[in-house]
Amino acid sequence: MKIINPSSEEIIADIAEDNEQSIKKKFLELKVGQQDWRKIPLKDRVKILQRFAELLKANIESLALVLTSEVGKPVQQSRNEINGACTRILWLTENALTYLADETMIHQTGLTEKIVYEPLGVIANISAWNYPYLVGVNVFVPALLAGNAVMYKPSEYSSLTGLEIEKLLKQAGVPSSVFYVAIGARAVGELLLNTSFDGYFFTGSYKTGKYIYEKVAFKMVPCQCELGGKDPLYVADDVADVKAVAAGTADGAFYNNGQSCCAVERIYVHESIFDQYVEAFVKEVKTWKIGKPTEEGVYFGSLSRKEQIAFLQAQVDEAFQKGAKILMGGKAISGKGYYFEPTVLVNVDHSMSVMREESFGPVIGIMKVKNDKEAIALMKDTDYGLTASVYSCDQLRAENILQQINTGTGYWNCCDRVSAAVPWSGRNHSGFGATLSHAGLRAFSKPKAYHLRG
Ligand code: NAD
């Protein structure tokens, strides 16, 4: 499989793809390996995964360059991602003993009732390219902690990072027969769906997630889907500092070129501050540098996938034809690499795809609203439900709005952030199930109830 650097369009590696035989062989090894791994005391598995985090830190510069070379994100954002992954591993490992240890629920004369969290077995982790460390860690770290073996299929756009992860996990002490990477694109993913895994954990698009969920349903094993979003953000009329809010929310929309599952994808602003907000928003984005992702100080690198350019262009063109105004950007940047101008649209409405379908790129629509009621109705008008955000001086007002929205995460005066301490989960087309938090630690186990008399 040829790996292309999206910022230069050069082939940077040619790696061996998995096939039916290799997947079968790896799976059979994982089946055996898992039986020994589950017997290793949890505290020792914790130590191994903490060592993995140390190795990530120790190798951060070279790992960041590999990541940047295959996905095109600025090298500082690659470093941020690896550091973020280490923070998550720390939380997961520090809390594993609390949430995965046996729990005695009732202990009285003659009767004990307890819960034992048994591993699922060998799980398949089919993953996305936009944050391969973060979305990978969300799954394979708690899965390994819980005593599972893992077949990790990185996206075909982040395969080199997948191989680095495999190398460092093994260096940290995870036995080779407990973690394997499956290299390849859709066809290799299909091979995993045709293998008898004990659980499927998918991160990616709604379209693929729906397909996978349907395809594995008959197996009667757990399946979790973390999918895309069309995350709304509302700026109320009482914010203290419109300029600061505009700058912070622009970052929420454009960080990683907008290629974040929880990127701000549509913005509603109260009419009394609309003009001020939009002016500050555009001014802020214009200060951010577009360039080679390896150059320090660059904020916008290239997009990761070539196809995304045509998709974004179609969204912008459709919006324009329906009456949207393009305040900046609006087209691909010519030359080598998959670059698209950061694009800000106003005069948008919900008849336009840009306000309804995940853009997953540096394109944002900003819409004027009269009041909270209109903002709530528009925020709710979506098939997705990953995150929603409200900026206001009034916490009660913000929480009242957020509780009316069917979303996995609600933000007050912040956006585009993930914490290991609370669940990460979607609703509707954004998926189901949770990673991170105690829920995410337990997602990779089967609770067994013991009723013990005597
Ligand atoms: P994608 O659905 O195209 O691919 C995801 C993975 O599925 C890849 O590894 C791919 O090779 C594999 N795949 C594709 N077809 C398959 C098939 N038929 N059978 C088995 N596997 C198959 O998604 P992507 O482009 O890699 O990622 C972008 C999407 O992921 C966006 O929608 C984004 O919002 C979402 N995402 C969600 C989260 C979250 O936590 N909710 C995090 C990151 C990304």
Side-chain angles (χ1 to χ4, degrees), residues 127 129-130 153 156 190 202-205 208 227-228 261 358 424:
S127 204
W129 48 265
N130 59 333
K153 193 194 110 37
E156 55 275 33
E190 290 276 357
F202 173 73
T203 309
S205 62
T208 312
L227 312 177
C261 52
E358 186 178 43
W424 186 245

Side-chain angles (χ1 to χ4, degrees), residues 53 56 80-90 92 133-134 137:
L56 288 178
N80 296 348
E81 179 179 343
I82 296 164
N83 278 322
C86 293
T87 308
R88 284 190 198 179
I89 297 170
L90 204 65
L92 291 163
Y133 284 101
L134 292 172
V137 157

Side-chain angles (χ1 to χ4, degrees), residues 225-284:
C225 289
E226 301 210 321
L227 312 177
K230 190 71 194 167
D231 297 4
L233 181 145
Y234 171 45
V235 187
D237 52 349
D238 64 350
V239 290
D241 184 343
V242 177
K243 279 186 191 160
V245 170
T249 53
D251 186 46
F254 288 135
Y255 189 82
N256 197 23
N257 243 328
Q259 302 169 122
S260 306
C261 52
C262 54
V264 176
E265 285 257 344
R266 49 200 175 106
I267 299 178
Y268 307 98
V269 183
H270 194 280
E271 58 184 7
S272 65
I273 54 163
F274 185 81
D275 292 345
Q276 201 191 342
Y277 173 88
V278 168
E279 192 193 333
F281 189 100
V282 169
K283 201 170 164 195
E284 176 72 16

Side-chain angles (χ1 to χ4, degrees), residues 265-315:
E265 285 257 344
R266 49 200 175 106
I267 299 178
Y268 307 98
V269 183
H270 194 280
E271 58 184 7
S272 65
I273 54 163
F274 185 81
D275 292 345
Q276 201 191 342
Y277 173 88
V278 168
E279 192 193 333
F281 189 100
V282 169
K283 201 170 164 195
E284 176 72 16
V285 178
K286 283 188 173 160
T287 66
W288 297 341
K289 199 168 151 191
I290 307 171
K292 270 186 169 231
T294 43
E295 226 175 81
E296 297 295 342
V298 161
Y299 183 88
F300 290 105
S302 67
L303 296 174
S304 305
R305 294 173 314 151
K306 194 177 188 175
E307 312 86 78
Q308 202 60 11
I309 290 181
F311 179 80
L312 294 173
Q313 194 66 65
Q315 273 198 334

Side-chain angles (χ1 to χ4, degrees), residues 7 19 22 53 91 98 135 262 272 301 309 314 317 384 396 402 423 450:
S7 70
N19 54 42
S22 67
W91 191 94
T98 307
V135 296
C262 54
S272 65
I309 290 181
D317 292 348
Y384 293 96
L396 271 182
L402 291 170
Y450 283 88

Side-chain angles (χ1 to χ4, degrees), residues 38-345:
R38 67 175 294 182
K39 288 183 201 132
I40 293 177
L42 177 55
K43 65 175 179 23
D44 295 337
R45 294 199 295 262
V46 161
K47 276 191 206 132
I48 290 173
L49 285 150
Q50 286 179 340
R51 212 172 303 138
F52 171 59
E54 285 159 20
L55 287 169
L56 288 178
K57 283 251 185 216
N59 293 283
I60 191 163
E61 281 308 314
S62 60
L63 297 175
L65 284 173
V66 170
L67 178 55
T68 288
S69 74
E70 61 182 342
V71 301
K73 71 171 71 182
V75 68
Q76 185 53 47
Q77 295 188 12
S78 291
R79 292 184 194 113
N80 296 348
E81 179 179 343
I82 296 164
N83 278 322
C86 293
T87 308
R88 284 190 198 179
I89 297 170
L90 204 65
W91 191 94
L92 291 163
T93 50
E94 280 177 350
N95 287 278
L97 285 162
T98 307
Y99 296 116
L100 294 177
D102 299 355
E103 282 181 299
T104 299
M105 308 308 286
I106 288 182
H107 184 59
Q108 58 198 36
T109 322
L111 176 67
T112 299
E113 292 176 4
K114 69 171 183 178
I115 306 170
V116 172
Y117 292 95
E118 295 185 346
L120 297 175
V122 183
I123 65 129
N125 174 195
I126 301 177
S127 204
W129 48 265
N130 59 333
Y131 289 98
Y133 284 101
L134 292 172
V135 296
V137 157
N138 285 3
V139 173
F140 63 70
V141 168
L144 290 169
L145 286 169
N148 299 279
V150 179
M151 176 121 32
Y152 170 58
K153 193 194 110 37
S155 161
E156 55 275 33
Y157 299 100
S158 57
S159 306
L160 299 179
T161 293
L163 291 168
E164 295 290 340
I165 287 172
E166 182 180 53
K167 189 174 82 191
L168 293 184
L169 277 171
K170 291 183 177 172
Q171 221 171 301
V174 174
S176 2
S177 55
V178 169
F179 184 92
Y180 269 120
V181 163
I183 294 295
R186 182 191 173 111
V188 172
E190 290 276 357
L191 291 174
L192 302 196
L193 304 186
N194 293 331
T195 304
S196 302
F197 284 97
D198 301 302
Y200 287 85
F201 293 82
F202 173 73
T203 309
S205 62
Y206 163 68
K207 190 170 158 233
T208 312
K210 181 171 177 285
Y211 173 81
I212 289 178
Y213 188 34
E214 286 172 358
K215 188 100 196 256
V216 303
F218 80 95
K219 299 183 191 223
M220 303 289 282
V221 296
C223 174
Q224 238 178 244
C225 289
E226 301 210 321
L227 312 177
K230 190 71 194 167
D231 297 4
L233 181 145
Y234 171 45
V235 187
D237 52 349
D238 64 350
V239 290
D241 184 343
V242 177
K243 279 186 191 160
V245 170
T249 53
D251 186 46
F254 288 135
Y255 189 82
N256 197 23
N257 243 328
Q259 302 169 122
S260 306
C261 52
C262 54
V264 176
E265 285 257 344
R266 49 200 175 106
I267 299 178
Y268 307 98
V269 183
H270 194 280
E271 58 184 7
S272 65
I273 54 163
F274 185 81
D275 292 345
Q276 201 191 342
Y277 173 88
V278 168
E279 192 193 333
F281 189 100
V282 169
K283 201 170 164 195
E284 176 72 16
V285 178
K286 283 188 173 160
T287 66
W288 297 341
K289 199 168 151 191
I290 307 171
K292 270 186 169 231
T294 43
E295 226 175 81
E296 297 295 342
V298 161
Y299 183 88
F300 290 105
S302 67
L303 296 174
S304 305
R305 294 173 314 151
K306 194 177 188 175
E307 312 86 78
Q308 202 60 11
I309 290 181
F311 179 80
L312 294 173
Q313 194 66 65
Q315 273 198 334
V316 173
D317 292 348
E318 185 228 27
F320 182 70
Q321 276 153 22
K322 288 184 173 170
K325 190 171 166 195
I326 302 172
L327 294 185
M328 65 177 286
K331 58 183 189 316
I333 298 173
S334 57
K336 282 278 176 215
Y338 316 144
Y339 285 86
F340 199 90
E341 293 174 344
T343 301
V344 179
L345 305 171

